[in-house]
Amino acid sequence: MVLVMSEEVREAMSAGRPVVALESTIIAHGLPRPDNLRVGRELEDTVRREGAVPATVAVLDGRPRIGLTKDELERVAGEDGIRKLSHRDLPLAVATGASGATTVSATARLAALAGIRVFATGGLGGVHRQWTLTQDESADLGLLARTRITVVCAGVKSVLDVPATLERLETLGVSVAGYRTNRFPGFYLSDSGFPVDWRLDGPEQVAAVMRAQDALGGQESALLVANPVPPKQQLDPGLHARVLAEALDACAREGVTGQAVTPFLLGYLVRHTEGASLRANLAAVRGNVRLAARIALAWAGK
Ligand code: PSU
Ligand code: MN
């Protein structure tokens, strides 16, 4: 087996106990140092407090890891040159012995390979604004169209073209539901301004949808549970709109492209909102991790 599972994850999996996969790109490239290490640990502890086992995913020295030790998490958070790995990068990283943090697409792929069904992140990747010029669409979408996993997220990142991303999710056949809301969440914002067709109101109901996916068969697609950041903890919408417009300008002006676009925009927002975007991002991720643990418990029948 090419995967290396931590002892904690291996034991939980073999006992049928609830496990939640966590991505590592948010730690290595989505959050500023040194806060990122503390957040990585805190998210793992949140999963444990809810009664599930965290499986933070990354690739170290060419070995895909499902669940990290303390030292391994430190490497992901602090190592210079740690790469950002999308699912297409996995064979290259494995064969060349590279180390990298995994995006939603790579984490979902490895988690599914390990038999983990529930996964928490902040905001998904999607269709970037200016898609007609750049064709920049995150690999997250295509991968989730063919991976049977439940992803708890605060919608898609608000730096993206949200309505275009919702259309793509529909075309690709990815099931999407709001968690206790009929509005699609907007990552830093509780409401993206767009509706969502389905609403789920509890972990048991989410688990029932997962069972229905399996019973119906067909395309091995994901279920997105879109869980909004609480309105009191969201980024001020006016500030968000203003700073995001500046960030998009700066991104175009500086010629940032490819994998660097998302970290550039998120970093710009952190610096130009005096950390308010970071606080909203963290509030969203914390809520998602907690909900994912509860869904994993319901799924495991605990
Ligand atoms: N959510 C966050 N912060 C992040 C990301 C998600 O709160 O940094 C990461 C995820 O790993 C996601 C990636 O898969 O950004 C998308 O990058 P791209 O747009 O290059 O596909
Ligand atoms: Mn991209």
Side-chain angles (χ1 to χ4, degrees):
M1 183 84 148
V2 64
L3 302 178
V4 185
M5 283 200 206
S6 71
E7 207 177 298
E8 188 188 18
V9 171
R10 195 164 358 98
E11 282 173 5
M13 295 292 293
S14 59
R17 287 205 305 274
V19 177
V20 175
L22 301 172
E23 63 138 317
S24 48
T25 293
I26 178 168
I27 300 169
H29 305 289
L31 299 172
R33 295 180 193 177
D35 287 358
N36 62 344
L37 176 61
R38 192 178 44 71
V39 172
R41 288 194 182 126
E42 182 204 312
L43 297 177
E44 292 189 344
D45 286 339
T46 301
V47 173
R48 290 192 190 96
R49 252 196 328 273
E50 295 291 333
V53 167
T56 305
V57 174
V59 178
L60 292 172
D61 309 315
R63 311 291 311 270
R65 311 258 162 183
I66 313 291
L68 303 180
T69 63
K70 208 171 145 282
D71 291 352
E72 289 165 353
L73 187 65
E74 265 171 42
R75 281 187 63 186
V76 170
E79 196 165 281
D80 288 324
I82 192 108
R83 299 183 69 123
K84 172 176 165 182
L85 305 175
S86 141
H87 70 94
R88 72 168 183 163
D89 302 311
L90 292 172
L92 292 146
V94 167
T96 62
S99 298
T102 48
T103 65
V104 168
S105 76
T107 307
R109 175 81 196 96
L110 292 173
L113 205 56
I116 301 173
R117 184 66 180 261
V118 182
F119 167 23
T121 182
L124 290 190
V127 180
H128 283 263
R129 295 166 196 232
Q130 304 270 304
W131 182 87
T132 50
L133 299 176
T134 63
Q135 260 94 80
D136 188 353
E137 172 182 327
S138 176
D140 292 354
L141 301 187
L143 191 282
L144 293 177
R146 50 199 148 79
T147 304
R148 182 51 53 78
I149 197 157
T150 297
V151 185
V152 183
C153 58
V156 303
K157 282 189 276 283
S158 56
V159 303
L160 300 168
D161 184 334
V162 176
T165 305
L166 286 168
E167 292 294 345
R168 287 292 293 149
L169 287 166
E170 180 182 359
T171 304
L172 289 165
V174 178
S175 302
V176 181
Y179 191 76
R180 297 187 176 156
T181 179
N182 297 301
R183 309 291 301 169
F184 191 64
F187 187 50
Y188 297 125
L189 306 176
S190 308
D191 180 350
S192 67
F194 298 89
V196 59
D197 293 337
W198 293 92
R199 167 188 175 127
L200 298 172
D201 285 292
E204 289 296 342
Q205 208 178 16
V206 177
V209 176
M210 293 160 66
R211 286 193 296 274
Q213 282 184 307
D214 290 354
L216 288 163
Q219 179 187 344
E220 290 274 304
S221 51
L223 168 63
L224 299 190
V225 178
N227 182 37
V229 64
K232 277 191 185 140
Q233 289 172 286
Q234 74 170 346
L235 184 59
D236 173 63
L239 180 66
H240 174 262
R242 184 164 54 72
V243 180
L244 177 55
E246 284 170 26
L248 292 165
D249 274 352
C251 190
R253 214 172 37 242
E254 293 179 30
V256 180
T257 57
Q259 282 193 327
V261 170
T262 297
F264 176 90
L265 293 172
L266 299 184
Y268 190 102
L269 271 131
V270 173
R271 290 194 306 281
H272 293 82
T273 60
E274 271 85 58
S277 77
L278 179 60
R279 291 189 289 278
N281 189 350
L282 290 178
V285 182
R286 287 186 183 112
N288 295 343
V289 167
R290 213 172 308 124
L291 176 58
R294 290 174 189 173
I295 293 169
L297 260 74
W299 176 246
K302 305 286 171 190

